[in-house]
Structure formats: structure tokens, C-alpha cells
Amino acid sequence: EELARDGIIIETITRGSQKIIIYDLSKGFKENKIKFWLKVAKTAWNYFKPGIGVSPKTGLNYANQWWHRTTDWDLAAYISAIISARKLNLIDENEFNIRIEKILHFLEARKLSPKGIPYLCYDSDTGEPAIDIESNPSDTGKLLLALDSLKEFKPAYKERISKIIQRNGIKKIAG
């Protein structure tokens, strides 16, 4: 009976003096599952609060709370998290735009190696290269996927993202 509150009566059968009610509980279970995963998403999103997982100075994410640097792989994860947070209404349109704008601005202006490709990691608090090693195809590929997701979610960014890809020497990394 306790579970029946989450269900819909789909059939009532009477056998003699006994009444049997058949419930479809899937709707209630689905709603509870959605509530559970939304709670998990909210908890995960808490990491991306400025000062915890995001630099309050630059708006760039930290690879983790002890390593205040970001790679293209980490930026990709953050872009994907922002898109998901918006889709789930964990953030409003204004916060989405502010966060994405900071990332895109960084990608448009970050220092590149003498070969014209990104460094492996950047200091999240300054945006400066953290080490003198260039990025790699895996990190770059992950960033390309996230930027493609961003273009799909917000087509207005399409041309800007194309310029970022060109500026960041993606063809040089892939070749």
C-alpha cells in the first residue's frame, strides 16, 4: 500500500469477497529516480562554485581542489558540466552566459606555444601557462567535443568557436 501512492491503478479485479488492485508503479519509480539523479547532479555541481572548483579571479576551473591548473581536457569537462547544469536548471541563463563567456575569452586569448598550439596546462588563477609542455591530441579532442556540444546547445557560438579552433592550432595537433 505504501508504494501504491506512487502508482496508477490500471486494473481492479474482484474475486469473491476479495478485491485485487493492480498498480503501475513505474511512474512513481521514474519520478523518484529523476529526483535522485537531480540531487546527485546538484551535489556534483557544488564543486563548480567559485573558490572551490573554479577560480574566482578568472572563472577557469581547477582540475581538482588541490591542483589549481586546467588542461583542455579539464576545460572540456567544465564546458560539459555548464551545459548540463543549464539543461537541468541548476543555473539560469545569465550564469550560463557568464561562465561560458569566461572560458571562450580565455580560449580566444590564451598564450600559445612557439608552435602556435596550446600548452598542456594553465594556471587557473592567472590563465598563464603552468608548464612549458604542449598539449596533446587526447586533451584537444575532448575539448573539440565539448565545443561541438556547445555549438549544438547554443548555435549563436558557432562562428566564434570556429575562430577559437583555428587560433588554437588544432590542425597542427591532429597532424
Side-chain angles (χ1 to χ4, degrees):
E1 282 188 33
E2 189 175 321
L3 291 174
R5 288 178 286 164
D6 293 331
I8 300 169
I9 297 173
I10 56 170
E11 189 175 355
T12 303
I13 302 170
T14 305
R15 291 199 177 142
S17 63
Q18 188 177 22
K19 188 175 183 179
I20 300 169
I21 301 173
I22 300 173
Y23 292 93
D24 176 357
L25 301 174
S26 63
K27 181 180 181 222
F29 284 132
K30 286 177 188 172
E31 288 173 1
N32 287 336
K33 198 175 206 180
I34 290 168
K35 287 177 188 174
F36 169 80
W37 286 112
L38 188 56
K39 186 177 178 182
V40 169
K42 286 177 184 177
T43 300
W45 181 250
N46 282 332
Y47 172 75
F48 293 109
K49 286 183 180 175
I52 298 174
V54 174
S55 171
K57 298 173 190 170
T58 64
L60 297 175
N61 60 304
Y62 302 139
N64 62 53
Q65 64 189 107
W66 302 280
W67 199 61
H68 289 197
R69 295 180 177 182
T70 191
T71 65
D72 282 358
W73 186 280
D74 301 318
L75 284 171
Y78 185 39
I79 291 168
S80 297
I82 295 168
I83 292 168
S84 295
R86 181 65 197 114
K87 286 179 179 179
L88 294 170
N89 286 320
L90 300 179
I91 59 174
D92 62 22
E93 192 69 20
N94 187 53
E95 185 173 352
F96 172 87
N97 290 329
I98 288 168
R99 287 175 182 254
I100 289 295
E101 186 60 38
K102 288 177 181 178
I103 295 168
L104 294 180
H105 178 72
F106 168 72
L107 292 172
E108 290 167 331
R110 69 178 169 176
K111 288 182 184 174
L112 301 174
S113 77
K115 292 181 187 173
I117 61 176
Y119 288 99
L120 180 61
C121 62
Y122 292 81
D123 184 298
S124 298
D125 293 318
T126 65
E128 293 295 315
I131 55 176
D132 194 23
I133 299 172
E134 295 170 338
S135 192
N136 59 65
S138 296
D139 284 19
T140 301
K142 182 76 170 174
L143 180 59
L144 284 173
L145 289 171
L147 290 172
D148 189 61
S149 295
L150 179 58
K151 283 192 306 190
E152 188 176 313
F153 185 63
K154 294 288 181 182
Y157 289 120
K158 186 177 181 179
E159 184 153 334
R160 191 169 175 194
I161 289 170
S162 293
K163 289 178 182 176
I164 287 169
I165 292 168
Q166 185 178 11
R167 177 195 181 271
N168 282 268
I170 303 305
K171 288 183 181 177
K172 294 176 189 175
I173 296 170

